[in-house]
Structure formats: C-alpha cells, structure tokens
C-alpha cells in the first residue's frame, strides 16, 4: 500500500506558485501603457496568427503571457462574457472590472482546487476619456488582482522592464514616443553581456485602444503603419511633423465623436 | 442569469469550451430565452400587433455600395413612427436594412451584429461577405414559424467584399425571402411594401459605372417614387427635417451620410420633381 505523504497547505501553495512563476518567466514579455491618445499594448511575438494581445470589447483590451492554450481559454471566456453581458444589458454595462472579477474567480479556483495552476499572467485594460481614467488591471496565476497606475509589464524579466518603464513612462506623451519607450524597455533585457538588443517590427505585436475613436477602440498596428511609427528619429523633422498632424487628426476625431454622441 | 455566471462568479464550462465561435450558439446554451424566434405564439395571424418597417433600397457603384431606407413605420393604416431607423451598420464593412415587423427585425439585427463581432474577436479574422449573408439567412430561417403567423422579417444586406478581385465591383447586395432563401442581387435591389415602385425607378435610373454621388441620387429618387405610390412608405419630411437614412460602404468602411448631405440631395430631387411632377 502506497504511503500517503503529508504536505502542509503552505507547502502545496508555495510549490504551485513556484511552478507557475517559472512557467511565466520562461516566455517573452508584454507591456501595456497609458499614453495621451489611449492605451498601448506591445508584445514580443513573432507569430502573426497566435496573438498575445486582443480585443475583448468596445473599450477593453487583453494582453497575456504564459501558456498559450491557458490564456487563450481565458480570452475566449472573456469575449463570451462581454458579448453576453452587452447583449443582455447594454454595451456600456460591460466593464473591465466585471471581467476582471470573473477572471480572478476563475484563476483563483484553478489555483486552489487543481494540482496544476494556470501558468499565465493577464492584463485587462479599459481606455477612458483621459489617461487618468484608464484602468489597467494585472491578474496573476493565483487569481490575485492589482490595479496598476499607468503601466504594466508581465512575463520574462518583467521586473527589469518595469524599472525602465518607471523611469521614462509619462501619460502625456504621444503614441510614437510611448512606443519607443515600450520597445526600448523590452529590448533592455536579454541582450549579450547585458547590452540592449534591437527588436524589429516583425518581432512585435502592437495594438492600441484609441480613446478618440467612438465604439470599438481596439486597433492593431501592423505592417507599414508600425514600421513608420518605429522609424527612429534619424528623420526627426518628419517625425515631428507627423506627430503634429496625428495630433490634429485625433483632435478632429474627438470632435466627430462628440457630435455623434450628442 | 443574464450574465451567465454562476453564484461563485466563475465562468461555467461553456465559457471556456474551445472551438465555438458563434455567439448565437453560445446564447442557445447559456441563455436561450434571449434568442429571437424562441417564443411560442398562440395560433392565428398576429401581423397587426406591432409596427412594420417599409421600404429599403440599395445600389452598387464603382468602389462600393449604398443602402437607404425611408423613416416611416406603420401599424395597419396608421403611421406608428415618423423617424424610425431601418438601416444599420452590422460591422465595419456591411449594412443591413429591415422590412417587416420592426420589433423582431431590430432584435434580429442586434443579435446579428454581436454574431459578426463575436466571430471576429474569437477567430481573430472577420467572416467573408458570403458567410455573413449566410449567417443572416440562417437567422431568418429560425423566424419562419413567427413569419407564417404574420411576424415576418425580410432584410436586405449589403457589404464591401474585402476579398474581391476587382475593387470596383467589391460592393455587393444580398436579398432574402421569408424562408431564409438568400441570393445576390446585381446592381440594385429593394425590399418592403414600396419595393415594387422603388425597383421600377431603380431599373430606369441605375446604370453600371455610377459614382457614390450618382448612386445616392438614384436611391433618393427611388424612395421618392415609392413614397409617391405606397402609403406605407414615408417621403422626405421637410417640415421636421426627417430625410431617408443613407449608408455608404466602401474600402474605408461603413459611413452614414449626415442629414445635411442627404438634405441637399433631397432638395435637388424635390426641385426637379417640382418642375416635372409626372401625372
């Protein structure tokens, strides 16, 4: 007869935590940042088809690191939750907070009840009318939730990335500047001898929740649009004029959004 | 429960089950009471219980398609509403206009909008235009029982086909019958009580190679003719400034024309008709 070994609850939970943390740290990182025009998602992801960043609802985006099948199941559940809630109540009744509660219950139950926890870390972001009204939630494998001010870094060496972001992040900046900060932060780790790497557009998955856009705010930045934004300031004159035209454009968008709302 | 979550606040297995990308099928499992066409009706004809939407028209042009609808809803011989909206964007590249029992039609379109968006989010890619038309046809088929009891819904569907080989011909129109039959209409189409007159006008006025302005003008003319001869179709209401709703779909997506834009076209048509009203 096999012996039943006793393991204390503390030990069990510690083992599960360690297992999940190791799994999450193996992957590449994702960062989510508030900026003047909305919320920016940047993931290191060479796949065009398997997304780490996606749309949940009108003003809500999702980013995750860890095991793909596990966070994909969460994402699909989130889309189903949001669409069901929006259909049975109203589109405005779908909130990031409600979604985060469901995710937290789900992750917490799996962590407590099953022998293998989910090896995932998730960020749910809701874009507001201004950067101060953005909501960024970070969920970990055990179902704990934190409400992050301004930016979130997850996966890989997320602590090192977060410290770079902490120094440079500013919600007043435009999309181009914020994207540069995000990519610099991702590139700051993993290089040879501690040097920064270079990350090309093809290695990135980038999306924004555009606060000026009425209705569905989620938009992927791909191809030429992304390369244009990533182009360094060697042509700083162009960059400035583009940035100012972008500002003018988004001001126009705001006007149209207001007029269609009224 | 309307949110589908249990008392624990956790997702049921239905939420995390892999594979399903249809919102209607998901709703069927989690909250079937929210599906249209599931309500048992007592025997008899119930066509007179609720307002009806009337005339919808659509026309393709080089590089897109326009759909328009009048603003009148009728109940029997009464005007139920003067400013009803019957043309809806269904996603970024498609629109649907509805004729028939307005309440059921609006519910169906609302579900259809979620259906398209849900697929796009779950799969990471939108449905093809033909698949969108097919999904709508399946919904109409589900309403056949109610349709036979007088609560029919007959939409008109149009969209910009992002997979089209020739972008000039990417604007496409799909018509349906009450049993869910779906076919593509070349050039122009119309549904609803005024459609006989609108189609006759379109047959004379529409021609291949129109531009957007030309197509809009043709649609406003056809709605004017429908309102002229069909009591259930409303003409432009100059007193209240209620003009037909016109929605353009092109490579840039769906765009509803503003009242000022439509008002200008309406003014031109009325000026021409004042000079030559017909008899």
């Amino acid at each position: 007869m096999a012996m039943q070994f006793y393991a204390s609850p503390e030990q069990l939970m510690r083992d599960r935590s360690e297992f999940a943390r190791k799994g999450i740290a193996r992957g590449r990182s994702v960062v989510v940042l508030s900026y003047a025009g909305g919320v920016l998602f940047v993931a290191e992801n060479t796949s065009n088809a398997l997304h780490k960043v996606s749309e949940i609802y009108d003003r809500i985006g999702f980013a995750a690191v860890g095991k793909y099948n596990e966070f994909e199941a969460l994402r699909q559940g989130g889309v189903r939750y949001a669409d069901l809630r929006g259909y049975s109540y109203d589109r405005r009744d779908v909130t990031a907070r409600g979604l985060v509660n469901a995710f937290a219950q789900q992750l917490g139950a799996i962590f407590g009840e099953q022998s293998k926890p989910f090896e995932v870390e998730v960020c749910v972001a809701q874009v507001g009318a201004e950067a101060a009204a953005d909501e960024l939630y970070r969920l970990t494998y055990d179902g704990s939730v934190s409400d992050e001010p301004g930016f979130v870094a997850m996966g890989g060496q997320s602590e090192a990335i977060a410290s770079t972001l902490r120094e440079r992040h500013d919600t007043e900046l435009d999309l181009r500047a914020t994207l540069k900060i995000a990519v610099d932060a991702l590139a700051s780790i993993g290089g040879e001898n501690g040097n920064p790497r270079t990350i090309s557009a093809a290695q990135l998955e980038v999306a924004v929740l555009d606060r000026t856009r009425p209705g569905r705010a989620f938009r992927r930045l791909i191809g030429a649009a992304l390369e244009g934004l990533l182009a360094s300031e060697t042509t700083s004159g162009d960059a400035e004029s583009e940035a100012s035209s972008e500002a003018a454009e988004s001001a126009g968008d705001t006007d149209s959004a207001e007029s269609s709302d009224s | 429960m309307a949110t589908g979550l249990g008392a624990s606040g956790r997702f049921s297995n239905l939420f995390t089950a892999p594979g399903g990308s249809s919102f209607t099928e998901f709703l069927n499992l989690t909250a079937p009471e929210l599906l249209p066409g599931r309500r048992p009706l007592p025997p008899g004809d119930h066509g007179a219980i609720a307002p009806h939407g009337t005339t919808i028209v659509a026309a393709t042009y080089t590089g897109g398609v326009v759909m328009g609808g009048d603003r009148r809803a009728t109940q029997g011989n009464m005007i139920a509403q003067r400013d009803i909206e019957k043309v809806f964007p269904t996603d970024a590249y498609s629109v649907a206009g509805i004729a028939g029992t307005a309440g059921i039609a609006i519910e169906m379109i609302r579900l259809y909008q979620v259906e398209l968006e849900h697929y796009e989010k779950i799969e990471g890619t939108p449905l093809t235009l033909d698949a969108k038309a097919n999904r709508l046809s399946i919904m109409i088929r589900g309403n056949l029982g109610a349709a036979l009891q007088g609560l029919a819904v007959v939409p008109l569907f149009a969209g910009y086909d992002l997979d089209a080989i020739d972008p000039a011909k990417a604007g496409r129109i799909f018509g349906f019958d009450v049993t869910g039959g779906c076919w593509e209409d070349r050039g122009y189409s119309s549904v609803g009580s005024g459609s006989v007159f609108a189609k006759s006008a379109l047959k004379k006025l529409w021609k291949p190679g129109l531009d957007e302005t030309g197509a809009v003008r043709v649609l406003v003319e056809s709605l004017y003719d429908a309102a002229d001869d069909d009591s259930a179709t409303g003409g432009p209401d100059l007193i209240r400034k209620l003009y037909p709703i016109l929605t353009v779909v092109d490579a840039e997506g769906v765009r509803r024309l503003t009242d000022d834009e439509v008002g200008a076209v309406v003014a031109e048509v009325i000026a021409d008709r004042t000079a030559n009203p017909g008899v």
Side-chain angles (χ1 to χ4, degrees):
Chain A
M1 200 177 108
M3 276 283 284
Q4 288 282 333
F5 288 107
Y6 174 78
S8 70
E10 288 89 343
Q11 186 61 43
L12 273 176
M13 296 302 151
R14 251 200 312 275
D15 288 352
R16 285 180 197 174
S17 292
E18 194 184 336
F19 172 82
R21 267 199 218 106
K22 273 187 188 160
I24 293 162
R26 266 198 296 275
R28 295 185 185 279
S29 306
V30 174
V31 294
V32 184
L33 309 96
S34 263
Y35 72 99
V39 176
L40 170 69
F41 299 84
V42 185
E44 252 193 285
N45 182 8
T46 47
S47 170
N48 287 325
L50 305 177
H51 297 307
K52 288 183 169 182
V53 173
S54 39
E55 173 185 15
I56 297 279
Y57 211 64
D58 289 354
R59 319 300 287 171
I60 304 172
F62 172 97
V65 292
K67 274 198 94 175
Y68 177 77
N69 68 320
E70 293 175 348
F71 69 68
E72 177 65 8
L74 277 181
R75 182 191 75 89
Q76 293 201 359
V79 171
R80 287 174 184 147
Y81 164 87
D83 280 344
L84 177 59
R85 201 175 166 88
Y87 181 70
S88 59
Y89 296 127
D90 185 80
R91 295 194 81 92
R92 281 171 301 173
D93 294 291
V94 181
T95 59
R97 200 176 46 79
L99 180 68
V100 163
N101 284 339
F103 278 167
Q105 294 298 337
Q106 186 80 0
L107 285 166
I110 289 165
F111 183 79
E113 293 164 13
Q114 296 183 10
S115 55
K116 181 202 153 324
F118 268 19
E119 297 158 70
V120 297
E121 211 164 314
V122 171
C123 173
V124 175
Q126 176 174 307
V127 70
E130 55 200 38
D134 289 346
E135 294 174 28
L136 269 62
Y137 299 97
R138 177 200 194 123
L139 287 122
T140 50
Y141 52 86
D142 59 354
S144 50
V145 184
S146 55
D147 182 0
E148 304 279 344
F151 67 89
V152 171
M154 307 181 295
Q157 291 164 266
S158 56
E159 270 312 308
I161 292 172
S163 69
T164 312
L165 293 178
R166 208 167 288 124
E167 280 168 26
R168 293 178 56 191
H169 175 246
D170 180 352
T171 53
E172 303 287 310
L173 294 174
D174 67 359
L175 178 58
R176 179 183 292 266
T178 311
L179 180 62
K180 180 161 172 41
I181 291 170
V183 175
D184 285 352
L186 288 174
S188 68
I189 49 112
E192 281 178 35
N193 306 324
N195 292 325
R197 295 174 295 153
T198 35
I199 301 180
S200 71
Q203 293 165 279
L204 290 172
E205 182 184 356
V206 180
V208 293
L209 289 168
D210 186 342
R211 75 173 90 252
T212 60
R213 193 181 261 210
R216 291 168 73 182
F218 188 86
R219 182 160 55 96
R220 288 189 186 283
L221 297 173
I222 48 175
L226 177 58
E227 278 163 24
L229 277 171
L230 283 170
S232 60
E233 55 278 30
T234 46
T235 52
S236 62
D238 288 356
E240 265 170 41
S241 65
E242 266 179 52
S244 62
S245 72
E246 186 190 50
E249 202 180 291
S250 56
D253 280 352
T254 315
D255 289 342
S256 67
E258 279 168 4
S259 60
S260 69
D261 281 346
S262 59
Chain B
M1 195 174 168
T3 55
L5 299 184
S8 63
R10 280 158 67 176
F11 289 150
S12 72
N13 290 339
L14 297 169
F15 279 83
T16 47
S21 47
S22 164
F23 181 71
T24 313
E25 282 163 26
F26 175 67
L27 205 55
N28 190 25
L29 297 170
T30 46
E33 72 280 5
L34 295 177
L35 280 176
R38 283 305 177 87
R39 287 168 287 263
L41 292 170
D45 188 313
H46 309 290
I49 63 165
H52 277 232
T54 49
T55 309
I56 304 293
V57 290
T60 60
Y61 65 91
T62 306
V65 58
V66 196
M67 184 176 283
D70 71 313
R71 305 296 293 272
R72 180 172 290 178
T74 56
Q75 191 166 1
N77 65 331
M78 307 291 268
I79 293 169
Q81 201 180 337
R82 293 176 208 285
D83 61 349
I84 193 173
E85 300 197 1
K86 295 180 271 185
V87 179
F88 302 96
T90 43
D91 70 358
Y93 290 98
S94 67
V95 287
I98 44 140
T101 309
I104 293 178
I106 287 168
E107 184 185 21
M108 190 185 285
I109 293 298
R110 200 163 162 258
L111 178 60
Y112 182 65
Q113 288 167 329
V114 183
E115 175 81 13
L116 297 188
E117 186 186 324
H118 188 78
Y119 181 94
E120 188 183 327
K121 288 190 290 194
I122 295 280
E123 300 279 330
T125 175
L127 283 164
T128 61
L129 191 63
D130 296 272
K132 289 176 198 172
N134 194 23
R135 288 309 301 180
L136 189 52
S137 143
I138 290 167
M139 284 190 179
I140 299 163
R141 214 169 292 148
N143 192 51
L144 183 59
L148 291 175
Q149 291 182 263
L151 304 176
V153 176
V154 187
L156 192 61
F157 179 69
Y160 185 87
D161 191 346
L162 292 164
D163 305 318
I165 299 160
D166 179 3
K169 293 182 181 162
R172 296 168 69 193
I173 303 170
F174 296 86
F176 302 86
D177 67 28
V178 80
T179 64
C182 168
W183 60 91
E184 184 165 0
D185 288 306
R186 296 277 162 207
Y188 60 86
S189 189
S190 176
V191 287
S193 61
S195 61
V196 185
F197 310 107
K199 267 186 191 163
S200 296
L202 286 165
K203 187 183 278 182
K204 299 294 176 205
L205 296 173
W206 184 88
K207 50 187 180 299
L210 284 176
D211 61 2
E212 185 195 312
T213 319
V216 166
R217 167 77 190 223
V218 162
L219 289 188
V220 173
E221 297 253 14
S222 72
L223 283 170
Y224 191 96
D225 284 328
D228 216 14
D229 285 316
D230 170 35
S231 63
T233 305
D237 186 338
L238 301 178
I239 308 299
R240 299 185 181 84
K241 301 221 183 313
L242 296 174
Y243 305 122
I245 287 174
L246 286 154
T247 306
V248 176
V249 196
D250 59 16
E252 304 288 305
V254 173
R255 172 169 49 90
R256 176 172 161 175
L257 300 188
T258 63
D259 279 350
D260 288 345
E261 287 170 313
V262 182
V265 182
V266 164
E268 278 174 30
V269 170
I270 287 176
D272 286 1
R273 298 285 172 126
T274 310
N276 178 19
V279 179

